[in-house]
Amino acid sequence: MNPSDIPILPLGSHVSMSGREMMLGSVREALSYGANTFMLYTGAPQNTRRKPLSEMRLEEAHALMAAQHMQPFVVHAPYIINLANTLNAETYRLSVEFLIQELIRTDGMGSRILILHPGSHVGAGAAAGIESIAKGLNDVLSASPNVLVALETMSGKGSELGRSFEELAAIYDRVQRPERLRICFDTCHVHDAGYDIVHDPEGVLAEFHRLLGKEQIAVFHINDSKNERGAAKDRHADIGEGKIGFETLYWFVHHPDFPDVPRILETPWYPDPEHPGKMRPPYREEIQWLLTANRPKTFPRA
Ligand code: FE
Ligand code: FE
Ligand code: ZN
């Protein structure tokens, strides 16, 4: 087969953005994995300290992306945002404010998709949490550029909302501009939430399509899971080493209905056999396995 006949599958991983290189370093990291797309956080996911766009080396990053024919990239909002918190008004207010800033940053960095964890109701109940998320999104979307907010499917750990497709649909129903919403479908989270993607992936996607519409999927997070289906745990495993398994993850990556949807690995780093005491990213080999279906039966991992 001629290289130009191979369809381009947008496949990459989470990459870091830090130090002097900032986004230029993110692009270089993605290329080092053989990726053609990537996901980044605009700063540490646990805090709100952010560098100005002028220090992110955006022009050099985009020049390198263009030279390497890379696909569009996506941005993930930090975990501290919780639009579902109705018990602490200050957390909610800061979440709305910071999310507006993140959408402006995402736009300025040249991405049109910001991934967001819908939120945790922290004891107030799912109904109150969903109303609060919708209210927050309405405020945020009317005050920010035309970037899409991709609500992530969640495992249901703690009081997380977005565990079921029904909860995500309830958010869509309450948002004034649902055309600004999309979904990030995380295979580990959907499995941990209880959907049987191992035995019936087509059935799970059909259920998703009935409630939300499969065209709403704007990103896939491709992760294996350390836990049994329905565990509501959210612990990612490396590809083929968890309870989901290689075959199912390969099936999602190669699904023909999502040609332009980025597939992003968020699998854990593992101890480097060549450098004791150091960790290494699994992304380069996992991307190769997922592209070629050749995953070695034994591999150099503890
Ligand atoms: Fe996430
Ligand atoms: Fe995820
Ligand atoms: Zn997760």
Side-chain angles (χ1 to χ4, degrees), residues 105-209:
R105 258 190 296 274
T106 299
D107 182 53
M109 292 180 73
S111 173
R112 61 187 289 273
I113 297 174
L114 180 69
I115 298 158
L116 176 71
H117 294 181
S120 298
H121 66 67
V122 294
I130 285 169
E131 291 301 335
S132 183
I133 292 166
K135 177 164 154 280
L137 286 171
N138 283 330
D139 289 347
V140 164
L141 293 173
S142 58
S144 61
N146 218 16
V147 168
L148 303 170
V149 172
L151 302 172
E152 185 161 348
T153 60
M154 302 308 291
S155 68
K157 169 177 50 115
S159 64
E160 268 175 2
L161 296 164
R163 174 180 186 166
S164 69
F165 303 154
E166 282 86 352
E167 283 181 353
L168 293 165
I171 298 170
Y172 267 71
D173 288 345
R174 287 162 177 74
V175 166
Q176 283 145 12
R177 302 183 59 192
E179 71 279 3
R180 292 276 303 277
L181 297 180
R182 292 293 185 276
I183 297 289
C184 171
F185 188 108
D186 186 311
T187 54
C188 168
H189 298 177
V190 169
H191 164 91
D192 283 21
Y195 292 98
D196 193 355
I197 58 171
V198 176
H199 302 102
D200 188 19
E202 203 67 83
V204 173
L205 270 190
E207 175 77 349
F208 182 94
H209 186 58

Side-chain angles (χ1 to χ4, degrees), residues 40-42 45 50 75-81 98-99 102 106 114-117:
L40 53 75
Y41 292 81
T42 64
R50 294 297 183 262
V75 178
H76 197 309
Y79 310 141
I80 41 158
I81 292 179
F98 193 71
L99 190 51
E102 282 286 272
T106 299
L114 180 69
I115 298 158
L116 176 71
H117 294 181

